Amino acid sequence: MQRSIARLLWLVPFSLLLLGINQWKVSGDLRETLEQGEAAQAEVLEFVKNERPDIPFGYVSLKAHLADGSEIIQEKMALPYTLLPRVENAQTLEVRVVRGAAQPIVISLIAQTQWKIAAVQSAVCFGVMLMAAVGLFFWNRMLAGAGDPAARIPVAIQRT
């Protein structure tokens, strides 16, 4: 039974690897839009800051007005909770826009910090993934060599 569980637990480092890859991609997308995007002004359509004790979160909906007269609307753009106070009372924000990008709009004021947060989260995922993989490797190795410790009868019990 423990061997099955030990093998099934390989899903944990695999999931952490996928999460780390996703965060790395998000980090790159944010940075790309910040560095290559067209400067624009965005009107804040909606700002939500939910301060639930278990899961605090926030998002903003923006309408960016581009130099050529066109507009791009980004609805419910999630932001790191710690960065929400920097944009909380704004009616307009300076943004960077790349049409058709994975992250088409970033808020200039917080984008530098935002992509770094995503990169750090990615690094943490990879670090925890490595620790979990090493632990699981040695646990599986121990189970293969010595067998299930729960199935072994302690010496003190055998004498009685």
Side-chain angles (χ1 to χ4, degrees), residues 40-97:
Q41 286 293 320
E43 174 187 346
V44 177
L45 302 175
E46 178 183 24
F47 178 86
V48 173
K49 181 178 180 181
N50 188 329
E51 298 191 20
R52 287 179 29 194
D54 53 345
I55 306 172
F57 70 92
Y59 62 84
V60 63
S61 295
L62 301 172
K63 182 195 288 186
H65 304 281
L66 303 175
D68 65 1
S70 62
E71 297 177 339
I72 294 179
I73 296 176
Q74 178 76 34
E75 295 199 20
K76 297 186 178 181
M77 185 169 68
L79 299 174
Y81 185 76
T82 56
L83 300 179
L84 289 175
R86 296 176 72 183
V87 297
E88 188 167 7
N89 295 318
Q91 298 299 315
T92 62
L93 293 166
E94 186 178 319
V95 296
R96 307 291 285 186
V97 179

Side-chain angles (χ1 to χ4, degrees), residues 9-10 12-13 16 126-138:
L9 280 176
W10 280 105
V12 172
L16 287 167
F126 290 131
V128 173
M129 182 263 317
L130 284 174
M131 289 189 300
V134 167
L136 281 169
F137 172 78
F138 284 109

